[in-house]
Amino acid sequence: DVKVTQSSRYLVKRTGEKVFLECVQDMDHENMFWYRQDPGLGLRLIYFSYDVKMKEKGDIPEGYSVSREKKERFSLILESASTNQTSMYLCASTPREGANEQFFGPGTRLTVL
Amino acid sequence: KQEVTQIPAALSVPEGENLVLNCSFTDSAIYNLQWFRQDPGKGLTSLLLIQSSQREQTSGRLNASLDKSSGRSTLYIAASQPGDSATYLCAAQNPNSGGYQKVTFGIGTKLQVIP
């Protein structure tokens, strides 16, 4: 069964802290994505990666960075958390070939105080 | 730039009713269209994916159709049940200039099925 996991379901951090969100998929997918979801705005793409050590900016990369050292793991880093980064963060993966069906993790609800 | 719209934003129906959720998109050069279900505070669960060469896909009580020429997709839910209550999102994939697939999501339709 296809599976995408995220390191935390809920996270509370303080302004200025460095925050790591991790995502792991067990489907041997090449492509991985980080989105944030906010009421009224829907899902917005932060970064994606199409291979190990490769990354591309999405629509809202400011204030974030990513790391993909292994094929199965894609990390999102908030260098200095701010209150406007309070959001639901969703990780997804797709295979490079085929129908490109997206599979999502359970999400991390991050609150920055 | 692709835009995806879902109307209505919310829908309430009595149990047992058949219903249709709508999704419209502005750029018909899509690679595929995917429907998801999202329960409160949870991630997205894939329901159906329709590739650009297909007209519809079915899974159990769910049927999704795609009309690229009119920029529309519908999700039909037969004999609705209270457990179908959730937010339903559609997402269109288009090729982008970098050669990757660009995914655009709708805001979703929040469905409530009343027992």
Side-chain angles (χ1 to χ4, degrees):
Chain A
D1 203 16
V2 162
K3 199 165 185 182
V4 180
T5 57
Q6 295 184 226
S7 51
S8 305
R9 289 299 314 280
Y10 301 95
L11 210 52
V12 180
K13 295 292 182 181
R14 297 206 175 273
T15 300
E17 280 193 78
K18 191 168 186 176
V19 181
F20 294 86
L21 303 182
E22 293 204 323
C23 175
V24 178
Q25 49 94 6
D26 65 0
M27 298 162 284
D28 201 37
H29 286 170
E30 290 81 7
N31 303 328
M32 296 187 75
F33 306 82
W34 275 107
Y35 294 92
R36 64 177 283 177
Q37 185 180 29
D38 301 287
L41 297 177
L43 275 83
R44 293 178 290 169
L45 181 64
I46 304 170
Y47 268 97
F48 68 98
S49 169
Y50 52 90
D51 206 343
V52 176
K53 296 191 184 296
M54 307 302 283
K55 61 184 179 184
E56 291 285 336
K57 292 180 180 179
D59 299 319
I60 52 164
E62 296 78 19
Y64 304 94
S65 62
V66 290
S67 173
R68 185 129 181 240
E69 296 297 316
K70 294 185 177 181
K71 189 176 186 180
E72 68 270 18
R73 188 180 299 268
F74 191 35
S75 300
L76 179 70
I77 303 154
L78 285 66
E79 297 289 344
S80 177
S82 63
T83 55
N84 62 14
Q85 293 179 309
T86 292
S87 186
M88 170 69 102
Y89 289 87
L90 295 163
C91 174
S93 73
T94 74
R96 181 174 296 155
E97 304 297 333
N100 294 119
E101 184 175 3
Q102 288 200 93
F103 296 94
F104 278 82
T108 296
R109 169 68 65 182
L110 173 66
T111 300
V112 183
L113 302 175
Chain B
K1 178 187 174 186
Q2 177 72 279
E3 294 181 6
V4 176
T5 304
Q6 293 185 250
I7 295 173
L11 184 63
S12 184
V13 301
E15 181 177 2
E17 191 163 298
N18 302 325
L19 60 101
V20 174
L21 304 180
N22 297 297
C23 172
S24 61
F25 48 93
T26 55
D27 183 352
S28 61
I30 61 170
Y31 185 71
N32 64 41
L33 189 133
Q34 193 169 357
W35 282 93
F36 296 90
R37 168 188 174 133
Q38 186 176 31
D39 293 292
K42 303 284 182 65
L44 277 65
T45 300
S46 178
L47 296 174
L48 290 164
L49 180 142
I50 313 175
Q51 297 190 62
S52 62
S53 59
Q54 299 173 324
R55 294 299 301 267
E56 64 179 320
Q57 284 286 334
T58 298
S59 176
R61 293 183 294 110
L62 306 180
N63 176 277
S65 68
L66 175 64
D67 184 345
K68 284 174 53 179
S69 60
S70 66
R72 292 182 182 179
S73 177
T74 62
L75 179 67
Y76 174 83
I77 302 177
S80 58
Q81 303 170 358
D84 295 330
S85 298
T87 297
Y88 292 80
L89 293 92
C90 66
Q93 279 201 32
N94 294 79
N96 71 7
S97 58
Y100 310 113
Q101 302 299 326
K102 165 73 173 170
V103 184
T104 307
F105 288 83
I107 301 293
T109 294
K110 186 174 183 179
L111 173 66
Q112 182 183 24
V113 181
I114 303 167

